[in-house]
Amino acid sequence: MAESDSASVKCTYKITYQPDSTNIGSKNTESAFLLIGKTLSLYQYENKIKLDSAIDNNIRNNIQETKISNYPKANFWYRIYKKSSENQVTTIDYIGTKEYAYTETMPLFVWNISSESKNINGYNCRRATTSYAGRVWEAWYTTEIPFSEGPHKFSGLPGLILEIKDVKGYYEFKMSDITFKQNSLINFSNAGISYTTRNDFRKNKDNYEKNYVSIRIAQGGAIYGDEKTMRKIVSDNYNKRNNPIELK
């Protein structure tokens, strides 16, 4: 199945996040894009786009790239499509190098809208709060941009979300730029993608990241180094990624 839409709006968000809840020094920033069309929107991270472009360029030009450090570092590989015509949110993400997709039914959020207001980048905004996947979120949205959209999976407010953060300060999204009258295409295709459920995906991805070395050995794959050392590295990295955006 494939479908496409023409994006009329492109929003750029700056994301500040803390992957290790025990270490404030692990805070990092990335940028992501939200393309909004009439019936379809796409949210994806800039570094993953750059990574895909670099790999495609090497393939087209028959460049044998072996150093992973030479590629852009992408910490978020998933992309999210919202289909307003079908009230669906589809997340496409990876376990290893294999792509999986799962679909959720909108609305995902029950919003509490307050009378509080403030100005953000020249737009009059209202405050709203919601709970989702183990976190409480505070959003600022504007009806002056009449799209019921936002970063990640967030949607359902009577206007575009310009800022949203979880109340503990681990994740924060701030719109840094917006461009209207876009002609960018939003293409959705599930070719080569395995469909699953959100719960099964989360369970299987967690198992893969926790037991990566054992899984690679069982599959006959290379582990690039001493097995004991690699197990220690994988375990340490797993323990440092204890604070995903969706806790439940």
Side-chain angles (χ1 to χ4, degrees):
M1 182 182 71
E3 58 183 287
S4 63
D5 196 359
S6 180
S8 59
V9 180
K10 179 182 179 180
C11 306
T12 303
Y13 290 90
K14 178 183 176 182
I15 299 92
T16 303
Y17 62 97
Q18 185 177 327
D20 183 352
S21 63
T22 68
N23 179 16
I24 195 170
S26 70
K27 277 200 171 185
N28 204 348
T29 61
E30 279 202 39
S31 292
F33 303 123
L34 173 65
L35 296 175
I36 305 173
K38 290 182 179 179
T39 62
L40 190 64
S41 71
L42 168 61
Y43 176 79
Q44 57 186 340
Y45 285 85
E46 181 179 26
N47 284 356
K48 181 59 169 64
I49 298 172
K50 290 180 178 179
L51 174 62
D52 289 343
S53 178
I55 293 173
D56 288 344
N57 178 69
N58 286 354
I59 292 172
R60 285 195 307 269
N61 295 286
N62 198 28
I63 299 172
Q64 301 299 316
E65 180 63 74
T66 57
K67 292 184 179 180
I68 295 176
S69 60
N70 288 345
Y71 286 118
K73 185 178 181 181
N75 291 314
F76 299 102
W77 284 37
Y78 68 85
R79 60 191 186 276
I80 294 172
Y81 294 89
K82 302 189 190 90
K83 302 180 186 181
S84 57
S85 60
E86 300 176 18
N87 292 323
Q88 290 182 342
V89 180
T90 298
T91 302
I92 299 177
D93 203 347
Y94 291 78
I95 298 179
T97 58
K98 186 172 177 58
E99 279 187 296
Y100 292 85
Y102 60 87
T103 297
E104 301 167 88
T105 301
M106 293 192 285
L108 297 178
F109 309 97
V110 177
W111 294 99
N112 295 308
I113 298 175
S114 79
S115 59
E116 294 179 63
S117 63
K118 71 175 180 179
N119 188 283
I120 299 175
N121 296 335
Y123 293 101
N124 294 314
C125 297
R126 294 278 298 273
R127 179 178 176 270
T129 58
T130 191
S131 297
Y132 177 70
R135 296 189 188 277
V136 178
W137 296 89
E138 176 189 80
W140 292 91
Y141 71 95
T142 179
T143 58
E144 295 172 9
I145 307 176
F147 294 96
S148 182
E149 273 287 356
H152 191 62
K153 297 177 183 177
F154 298 109
S155 63
L157 285 166
L160 181 67
I161 296 172
L162 302 191
E163 294 183 3
I164 185 166
K165 66 179 180 179
D166 78 289
V167 296
K168 292 187 177 180
Y170 291 130
Y171 285 85
E172 183 174 35
F173 301 76
K174 286 188 174 184
M175 193 182 73
S176 57
D177 186 56
I178 184 166
T179 306
F180 298 95
K181 297 183 179 179
Q182 282 285 305
N183 292 314
S184 304
L185 280 178
I186 304 171
N187 292 311
F188 175 83
S189 172
N190 60 5
I193 297 174
S194 298
Y195 267 78
T196 183
T197 65
R198 179 177 180 274
N199 287 341
D200 283 348
F201 177 82
R202 287 168 55 82
K203 179 178 66 177
N204 292 332
K205 186 176 178 70
D206 183 73
N207 179 66
Y208 180 87
E209 293 180 347
K210 185 189 297 183
N211 301 295
Y212 171 78
V213 174
S214 297
I215 292 171
R216 288 287 292 173
I217 292 173
Q219 294 174 342
I223 58 171
Y224 306 107
D226 173 71
E227 180 181 336
K228 182 178 180 181
T229 301
M230 284 302 299
R231 288 187 183 277
K232 177 69 165 54
I233 291 172
V234 168
S235 177
D236 288 347
N237 287 338
Y238 177 83
N239 290 331
K240 290 175 182 177
R241 294 192 300 268
N242 56 55
N243 198 25
I245 186 171
E246 296 180 11
L247 293 172
K248 297 179 180 179

